[in-house]
Amino acid sequence: MSIFMTLRIALKALNRNKMRTVLTMLGMIIGVGAVIAMVGLGRGAQAAIEDQVKSAGTNMININAGNFSSGGVRQGQGMSNTLMPDDAEALRTIPGVQYVAAGANSRGQVIAGNQNWNTQIKGTDVDFPFIRSWQPKMGGFFTTQDVRTAQKVAVLGSLVSDTLFGPDVDPTGQIIRIRNQPFKVIGVMSTKGQSAMGQDQDDVVYVPYTTVQKKLQGQQHINDITVSATTSNTAPVAEAIRETLRIRHKLSGGDPDDFMVRTLEDMANLRTETTKTMTTLLAAIAGVSLVVGGIGIMNIMLVSVTERTREIGLRLAIGARGKDVLLQFLVEAVVISLFGGLIGIGFGFALSDILERTLQWPTSIPSNSIAMAFGFAAATGVFFGFYPARKAARLDPIEALRFE
């Protein structure tokens, strides 16, 4: 008997019990849809993390001040005062380093007219916009002369600008007060959003790092250095930076670093691996429903074999071979799985869209996950349909004809 004839008989048999067939498909529909939706959520989160990392800058390496200990008490990262402006200048000579920006950080109340806002004051250098691939949308950034002379000039993050002056208002040339000192606004950065670490990059005021050192903090050291490498392979450059700073800080072989060097690749890999683990876990949990759907198919096919025992016996008596009966019931199980899988794919897309709209969570459904879910649905039909089909094929024709 040809496969087309077998398929036609299978469709007729399934059509005789429409409700039962639909309910049997339901387990496969939910299973496939859940797998696709969970994978879509996980991949969407992974893509969002990669976008955040890319938005943070080009081939960026962060050097932060390290731990400071006093009387055996460790003060934690960023408390050391051994990182100096000369260290930042020394890094410019390292092969593979493209841009360098020293950083000195503070925080304070920013006042403009009758408005005020507490925000981060980020002292940086002229290379900062190039490192972060981030240019002002209004005005400009400060110059090398501004940094050298510690000028009181400021570039506002978009959130700070909107809060102090209102949305779509150009505050260039206006005077703001930081810790009761007047600063001239020379620009506003374009909107950036959250960083890979979850910080709001628009809630900040950028000033020359020398201004933070001399006029806001009264310190000689810097808090961090941001470096942009010439290539995406930042690991060798990061190691060269570490060796250079150890030499400059006169650290011997057994001394721990008094600074910390981190690449965006390190942070991205950590968060991406975490997301991959969660995606795998969610997909595995959703995959359980596929197995449950397969068990439902097996159960219904066993019932079908019992109900159609006389029909099977009659076919065997008039010359049908055992493999023809086996193939017929196997095709019925696969048809249920494949139709359920196709509907489940549509259900998965719809569920992903609903989750994206309600949870404001990005989703991304890769084509390989669709193929995987559909292939698994077909394999489930074959696996769970084989036993009932084999049982039908092994029926004794005489005993089957006697079955009531």
Short mmCIF file of all heavy atoms in Angstrom, two decimals, residues 268-319:
data_model
loop_
_atom_site.label_atom_id
_atom_site.label_comp_id
_atom_site.label_asym_id
_atom_site.label_seq_id
_atom_site.Cartn_x
_atom_site.Cartn_y
_atom_site.Cartn_z
N ALA A 268 30.32 40.82 29.59
CA ALA A 268 29.31 40.31 28.65
C ALA A 268 29.24 38.78 28.71
O ALA A 268 28.15 38.20 28.70
CB ALA A 268 29.65 40.76 27.24
N ASN A 269 30.41 38.12 28.78
CA ASN A 269 30.43 36.66 28.83
C ASN A 269 29.73 36.14 30.07
O ASN A 269 29.01 35.15 30.03
CB ASN A 269 31.87 36.14 28.78
CG ASN A 269 32.49 36.31 27.40
OD1 ASN A 269 31.79 36.48 26.42
ND2 ASN A 269 33.81 36.27 27.33
N LEU A 270 29.98 36.81 31.21
CA LEU A 270 29.36 36.38 32.45
C LEU A 270 27.84 36.47 32.36
O LEU A 270 27.12 35.52 32.70
CB LEU A 270 29.88 37.24 33.62
CG LEU A 270 29.25 36.96 34.98
CD1 LEU A 270 29.54 35.53 35.41
CD2 LEU A 270 29.77 37.95 36.02
N ARG A 271 27.33 37.60 31.89
CA ARG A 271 25.88 37.79 31.83
C ARG A 271 25.27 36.92 30.74
O ARG A 271 24.16 36.39 30.90
CB ARG A 271 25.55 39.25 31.58
CG ARG A 271 26.01 40.16 32.72
CD ARG A 271 25.52 41.57 32.55
NE ARG A 271 24.07 41.63 32.72
CZ ARG A 271 23.38 42.76 32.62
NH1 ARG A 271 23.99 43.90 32.37
NH2 ARG A 271 22.07 42.76 32.79
N THR A 272 26.00 36.73 29.62
CA THR A 272 25.48 35.90 28.54
C THR A 272 25.38 34.44 28.98
O THR A 272 24.40 33.74 28.67
CB THR A 272 26.36 36.02 27.29
OG1 THR A 272 26.39 37.38 26.86
CG2 THR A 272 25.81 35.16 26.16
N GLU A 273 26.41 33.95 29.69
CA GLU A 273 26.38 32.57 30.17
C GLU A 273 25.24 32.36 31.14
O GLU A 273 24.58 31.31 31.13
CB GLU A 273 27.72 32.22 30.84
CG GLU A 273 28.87 32.02 29.87
CD GLU A 273 28.59 30.93 28.84
OE1 GLU A 273 28.04 29.88 29.23
OE2 GLU A 273 28.90 31.11 27.66
N THR A 274 25.00 33.36 32.00
CA THR A 274 23.88 33.26 32.93
C THR A 274 22.56 33.18 32.17
O THR A 274 21.67 32.37 32.51
CB THR A 274 23.86 34.48 33.87
OG1 THR A 274 25.09 34.56 34.57
CG2 THR A 274 22.73 34.37 34.88
N THR A 275 22.43 33.99 31.14
CA THR A 275 21.20 33.99 30.34
C THR A 275 21.02 32.68 29.60
O THR A 275 19.91 32.14 29.50
CB THR A 275 21.22 35.15 29.33
OG1 THR A 275 21.46 36.37 30.02
CG2 THR A 275 19.89 35.26 28.60
N LYS A 276 22.13 32.12 29.07
CA LYS A 276 22.06 30.84 28.37
C LYS A 276 21.59 29.73 29.31
O LYS A 276 20.79 28.87 28.93
CB LYS A 276 23.42 30.48 27.78
CG LYS A 276 23.79 31.26 26.53
CD LYS A 276 25.15 30.82 26.01
CE LYS A 276 25.52 31.58 24.74
NZ LYS A 276 26.86 31.19 24.24
N THR A 277 22.10 29.77 30.54
CA THR A 277 21.69 28.76 31.53
C THR A 277 20.20 28.86 31.81
O THR A 277 19.49 27.85 31.87
CB THR A 277 22.49 28.95 32.83
OG1 THR A 277 23.88 28.84 32.56
CG2 THR A 277 22.10 27.90 33.86
N MET A 278 19.72 30.10 31.99
CA MET A 278 18.30 30.29 32.25
C MET A 278 17.46 29.87 31.05
O MET A 278 16.38 29.28 31.21
CB MET A 278 18.03 31.76 32.60
CG MET A 278 18.56 32.18 33.96
SD MET A 278 17.90 31.17 35.30
CE MET A 278 16.14 31.47 35.15
N THR A 279 17.92 30.16 29.83
CA THR A 279 17.20 29.76 28.62
C THR A 279 17.09 28.25 28.53
O THR A 279 16.02 27.70 28.23
CB THR A 279 17.90 30.31 27.36
OG1 THR A 279 18.00 31.73 27.46
CG2 THR A 279 17.14 29.94 26.11
N THR A 280 18.21 27.57 28.80
CA THR A 280 18.20 26.11 28.77
C THR A 280 17.25 25.54 29.81
O THR A 280 16.50 24.59 29.54
CB THR A 280 19.63 25.58 29.01
OG1 THR A 280 20.52 26.13 28.04
CG2 THR A 280 19.66 24.06 28.91
N LEU A 281 17.28 26.14 31.01
CA LEU A 281 16.39 25.67 32.08
C LEU A 281 14.92 25.86 31.70
O LEU A 281 14.10 24.95 31.86
CB LEU A 281 16.71 26.41 33.37
CG LEU A 281 15.83 26.08 34.59
CD1 LEU A 281 15.98 24.61 34.95
CD2 LEU A 281 16.20 26.96 35.78
N LEU A 282 14.59 27.05 31.18
CA LEU A 282 13.20 27.31 30.79
C LEU A 282 12.76 26.39 29.66
O LEU A 282 11.63 25.88 29.66
CB LEU A 282 13.06 28.78 30.37
CG LEU A 282 13.20 29.83 31.47
CD1 LEU A 282 13.22 31.23 30.87
CD2 LEU A 282 12.06 29.71 32.47
N ALA A 283 13.65 26.18 28.67
CA ALA A 283 13.30 25.30 27.55
C ALA A 283 13.12 23.87 28.03
O ALA A 283 12.24 23.15 27.53
CB ALA A 283 14.39 25.37 26.48
N ALA A 284 13.95 23.44 28.99
CA ALA A 284 13.82 22.08 29.52
C ALA A 284 12.49 21.90 30.24
O ALA A 284 11.82 20.87 30.11
CB ALA A 284 14.98 21.77 30.45
N ILE A 285 12.12 22.92 31.03
CA ILE A 285 10.84 22.86 31.74
C ILE A 285 9.69 22.81 30.74
O ILE A 285 8.74 22.02 30.88
CB ILE A 285 10.69 24.06 32.69
CG1 ILE A 285 11.74 23.98 33.82
CG2 ILE A 285 9.29 24.12 33.28
CD1 ILE A 285 11.79 25.20 34.69
N ALA A 286 9.77 23.66 29.71
CA ALA A 286 8.72 23.65 28.69
C ALA A 286 8.72 22.34 27.92
O ALA A 286 7.66 21.86 27.48
CB ALA A 286 8.93 24.82 27.73
N GLY A 287 9.92 21.73 27.76
CA GLY A 287 10.01 20.46 27.04
C GLY A 287 9.28 19.32 27.73
O GLY A 287 8.88 18.34 27.07
N VAL A 288 9.10 19.45 29.05
CA VAL A 288 8.35 18.42 29.77
C VAL A 288 6.94 18.30 29.23
O VAL A 288 6.37 17.20 29.12
CB VAL A 288 8.32 18.74 31.29
CG1 VAL A 288 7.39 17.79 32.03
CG2 VAL A 288 9.73 18.66 31.87
N SER A 289 6.35 19.44 28.84
CA SER A 289 4.99 19.41 28.30
C SER A 289 4.95 18.67 26.95
O SER A 289 3.91 18.09 26.59
CB SER A 289 4.44 20.83 28.15
OG SER A 289 5.26 21.61 27.32
N LEU A 290 6.07 18.69 26.21
CA LEU A 290 6.12 17.91 24.97
C LEU A 290 6.06 16.42 25.27
O LEU A 290 5.38 15.66 24.57
CB LEU A 290 7.42 18.24 24.22
CG LEU A 290 7.41 19.46 23.29
CD1 LEU A 290 8.79 19.69 22.73
CD2 LEU A 290 6.40 19.30 22.18
N VAL A 291 6.79 16.02 26.31
CA VAL A 291 6.76 14.61 26.70
C VAL A 291 5.36 14.21 27.15
O VAL A 291 4.85 13.14 26.81
CB VAL A 291 7.78 14.34 27.82
CG1 VAL A 291 7.71 12.90 28.28
CG2 VAL A 291 9.19 14.66 27.34
N VAL A 292 4.72 15.09 27.94
CA VAL A 292 3.34 14.82 28.38
C VAL A 292 2.42 14.70 27.17
O VAL A 292 1.54 13.83 27.11
CB VAL A 292 2.86 15.94 29.33
CG1 VAL A 292 1.39 15.75 29.66
CG2 VAL A 292 3.69 15.95 30.60
N GLY A 293 2.60 15.58 26.18
CA GLY A 293 1.81 15.50 24.96
C GLY A 293 2.03 14.20 24.22
O GLY A 293 1.09 13.59 23.68
N GLY A 294 3.29 13.72 24.22
CA GLY A 294 3.59 12.45 23.57
C GLY A 294 2.93 11.28 24.27
O GLY A 294 2.43 10.34 23.62
N ILE A 295 2.92 11.33 25.62
CA ILE A 295 2.24 10.28 26.37
C ILE A 295 0.74 10.28 26.05
O ILE A 295 0.11 9.22 25.95
CB ILE A 295 2.48 10.47 27.88
CG1 ILE A 295 3.97 10.26 28.19
CG2 ILE A 295 1.62 9.52 28.71
CD1 ILE A 295 4.36 10.60 29.61
N GLY A 296 0.18 11.47 25.88
CA GLY A 296 -1.23 11.57 25.50
C GLY A 296 -1.48 10.93 24.15
O GLY A 296 -2.51 10.25 23.95
N ILE A 297 -0.56 11.12 23.21
CA ILE A 297 -0.70 10.51 21.88
C ILE A 297 -0.67 8.99 22.00
O ILE A 297 -1.48 8.27 21.40
CB ILE A 297 0.42 11.01 20.94
CG1 ILE A 297 0.20 12.48 20.61
CG2 ILE A 297 0.47 10.17 19.66
CD1 ILE A 297 1.32 13.09 19.81
N MET A 298 0.27 8.47 22.80
CA MET A 298 0.36 7.02 22.99
C MET A 298 -0.94 6.47 23.59
O MET A 298 -1.45 5.42 23.16
CB MET A 298 1.54 6.68 23.90
CG MET A 298 1.66 5.19 24.22
SD MET A 298 2.97 4.81 25.39
CE MET A 298 4.40 4.91 24.33
N ASN A 299 -1.45 7.18 24.58
CA ASN A 299 -2.68 6.72 25.24
C ASN A 299 -3.85 6.64 24.26
O ASN A 299 -4.58 5.64 24.21
CB ASN A 299 -3.00 7.68 26.38
CG ASN A 299 -4.23 7.28 27.16
OD1 ASN A 299 -4.36 6.14 27.57
ND2 ASN A 299 -5.16 8.22 27.32
N ILE A 300 -4.02 7.70 23.47
CA ILE A 300 -5.13 7.72 22.51
C ILE A 300 -4.95 6.67 21.43
O ILE A 300 -5.93 6.03 20.99
CB ILE A 300 -5.26 9.13 21.89
CG1 ILE A 300 -5.72 10.13 22.97
CG2 ILE A 300 -6.23 9.12 20.73
CD1 ILE A 300 -7.04 9.79 23.61
N MET A 301 -3.72 6.44 20.97
CA MET A 301 -3.49 5.44 19.94
C MET A 301 -3.76 4.04 20.46
O MET A 301 -4.26 3.18 19.73
CB MET A 301 -2.06 5.55 19.41
CG MET A 301 -1.75 6.85 18.66
SD MET A 301 -2.92 7.23 17.35
CE MET A 301 -2.71 5.83 16.28
N LEU A 302 -3.43 3.80 21.74
CA LEU A 302 -3.76 2.50 22.33
C LEU A 302 -5.27 2.30 22.39
O LEU A 302 -5.79 1.20 22.13
CB LEU A 302 -3.15 2.40 23.73
CG LEU A 302 -1.63 2.17 23.78
CD1 LEU A 302 -1.12 2.31 25.22
CD2 LEU A 302 -1.26 0.80 23.22
N VAL A 303 -5.99 3.36 22.75
CA VAL A 303 -7.46 3.29 22.76
C VAL A 303 -7.98 3.03 21.35
O VAL A 303 -8.90 2.22 21.14
CB VAL A 303 -8.05 4.60 23.33
CG1 VAL A 303 -9.57 4.63 23.15
CG2 VAL A 303 -7.68 4.77 24.79
N SER A 304 -7.36 3.69 20.37
CA SER A 304 -7.79 3.53 18.98
C SER A 304 -7.57 2.10 18.50
O SER A 304 -8.41 1.53 17.78
CB SER A 304 -7.03 4.51 18.09
OG SER A 304 -7.42 4.39 16.74
N VAL A 305 -6.44 1.51 18.90
CA VAL A 305 -6.16 0.12 18.51
C VAL A 305 -7.23 -0.81 19.08
O VAL A 305 -7.74 -1.71 18.40
CB VAL A 305 -4.76 -0.30 18.98
CG1 VAL A 305 -4.56 -1.82 18.80
CG2 VAL A 305 -3.69 0.44 18.19
N THR A 306 -7.58 -0.58 20.33
CA THR A 306 -8.60 -1.41 20.98
C THR A 306 -9.95 -1.26 20.28
O THR A 306 -10.66 -2.24 20.04
CB THR A 306 -8.72 -1.03 22.47
OG1 THR A 306 -7.45 -1.19 23.10
CG2 THR A 306 -9.74 -1.91 23.16
N GLU A 307 -10.31 -0.01 19.97
CA GLU A 307 -11.61 0.24 19.33
C GLU A 307 -11.68 -0.36 17.92
O GLU A 307 -12.75 -0.74 17.46
CB GLU A 307 -11.86 1.75 19.24
CG GLU A 307 -12.16 2.42 20.58
CD GLU A 307 -12.37 3.92 20.42
OE1 GLU A 307 -12.02 4.45 19.34
OE2 GLU A 307 -12.89 4.55 21.36
N ARG A 308 -10.55 -0.42 17.24
CA ARG A 308 -10.54 -0.84 15.83
C ARG A 308 -9.97 -2.24 15.65
O ARG A 308 -9.44 -2.58 14.58
CB ARG A 308 -9.75 0.18 15.01
CG ARG A 308 -10.41 1.56 15.02
CD ARG A 308 -9.43 2.67 14.68
NE ARG A 308 -8.88 2.55 13.34
CZ ARG A 308 -7.91 3.33 12.86
NH1 ARG A 308 -7.40 4.29 13.64
NH2 ARG A 308 -7.46 3.15 11.65
N THR A 309 -10.05 -3.04 16.71
CA THR A 309 -9.48 -4.39 16.63
C THR A 309 -10.12 -5.21 15.51
O THR A 309 -9.43 -5.90 14.74
CB THR A 309 -9.66 -5.12 17.98
OG1 THR A 309 -8.99 -4.38 19.00
CG2 THR A 309 -9.09 -6.53 17.92
N ARG A 310 -11.45 -5.18 15.41
CA ARG A 310 -12.13 -5.94 14.34
C ARG A 310 -11.72 -5.42 12.97
O ARG A 310 -11.55 -6.21 12.02
CB ARG A 310 -13.65 -5.85 14.51
CG ARG A 310 -14.17 -6.67 15.70
CD ARG A 310 -15.66 -6.50 15.86
NE ARG A 310 -16.39 -6.97 14.69
CZ ARG A 310 -16.73 -8.24 14.49
NH1 ARG A 310 -16.41 -9.17 15.38
NH2 ARG A 310 -17.40 -8.60 13.41
N GLU A 311 -11.59 -4.10 12.83
CA GLU A 311 -11.15 -3.53 11.53
C GLU A 311 -9.76 -4.02 11.17
O GLU A 311 -9.49 -4.38 10.00
CB GLU A 311 -11.15 -2.00 11.64
CG GLU A 311 -10.60 -1.30 10.40
CD GLU A 311 -10.34 0.19 10.63
OE1 GLU A 311 -11.06 0.82 11.45
OE2 GLU A 311 -9.40 0.72 10.00
N ILE A 312 -8.87 -4.07 12.17
CA ILE A 312 -7.50 -4.54 11.92
C ILE A 312 -7.52 -6.01 11.52
O ILE A 312 -6.83 -6.43 10.57
CB ILE A 312 -6.64 -4.33 13.18
CG1 ILE A 312 -6.49 -2.83 13.48
CG2 ILE A 312 -5.26 -4.95 12.99
CD1 ILE A 312 -5.90 -2.54 14.84
N GLY A 313 -8.32 -6.80 12.24
CA GLY A 313 -8.41 -8.22 11.91
C GLY A 313 -8.94 -8.45 10.50
O GLY A 313 -8.45 -9.33 9.78
N LEU A 314 -9.93 -7.65 10.10
CA LEU A 314 -10.48 -7.78 8.75
C LEU A 314 -9.43 -7.45 7.70
O LEU A 314 -9.31 -8.16 6.69
CB LEU A 314 -11.70 -6.86 8.61
CG LEU A 314 -12.43 -6.90 7.27
CD1 LEU A 314 -12.95 -8.31 6.99
CD2 LEU A 314 -13.56 -5.88 7.23
N ARG A 315 -8.66 -6.42 7.92
CA ARG A 315 -7.64 -6.03 6.94
C ARG A 315 -6.55 -7.10 6.85
O ARG A 315 -6.07 -7.42 5.75
CB ARG A 315 -7.02 -4.69 7.35
CG ARG A 315 -7.97 -3.53 7.15
CD ARG A 315 -7.29 -2.21 7.33
NE ARG A 315 -8.22 -1.11 7.12
CZ ARG A 315 -7.89 0.16 7.15
NH1 ARG A 315 -6.64 0.51 7.38
NH2 ARG A 315 -8.81 1.09 6.93
N LEU A 316 -6.19 -7.66 7.99
CA LEU A 316 -5.18 -8.71 7.96
C LEU A 316 -5.72 -9.96 7.28
O LEU A 316 -4.98 -10.67 6.57
CB LEU A 316 -4.74 -9.05 9.39
CG LEU A 316 -3.93 -7.96 10.13
CD1 LEU A 316 -3.74 -8.34 11.59
CD2 LEU A 316 -2.57 -7.75 9.46
N ALA A 317 -7.02 -10.23 7.45
CA ALA A 317 -7.62 -11.43 6.87
C ALA A 317 -7.70 -11.35 5.35
O ALA A 317 -7.61 -12.38 4.66
CB ALA A 317 -9.01 -11.65 7.46
N ILE A 318 -7.87 -10.15 4.81
CA ILE A 318 -8.01 -10.03 3.34
C ILE A 318 -6.68 -9.72 2.66
O ILE A 318 -6.63 -9.34 1.49
CB ILE A 318 -9.04 -8.95 2.99
CG1 ILE A 318 -8.61 -7.58 3.49
CG2 ILE A 318 -10.41 -9.31 3.53
CD1 ILE A 318 -9.55 -6.44 3.08
N GLY A 319 -5.58 -9.85 3.41
CA GLY A 319 -4.27 -9.78 2.76
C GLY A 319 -3.35 -8.64 3.16
O GLY A 319 -2.23 -8.56 2.66
#
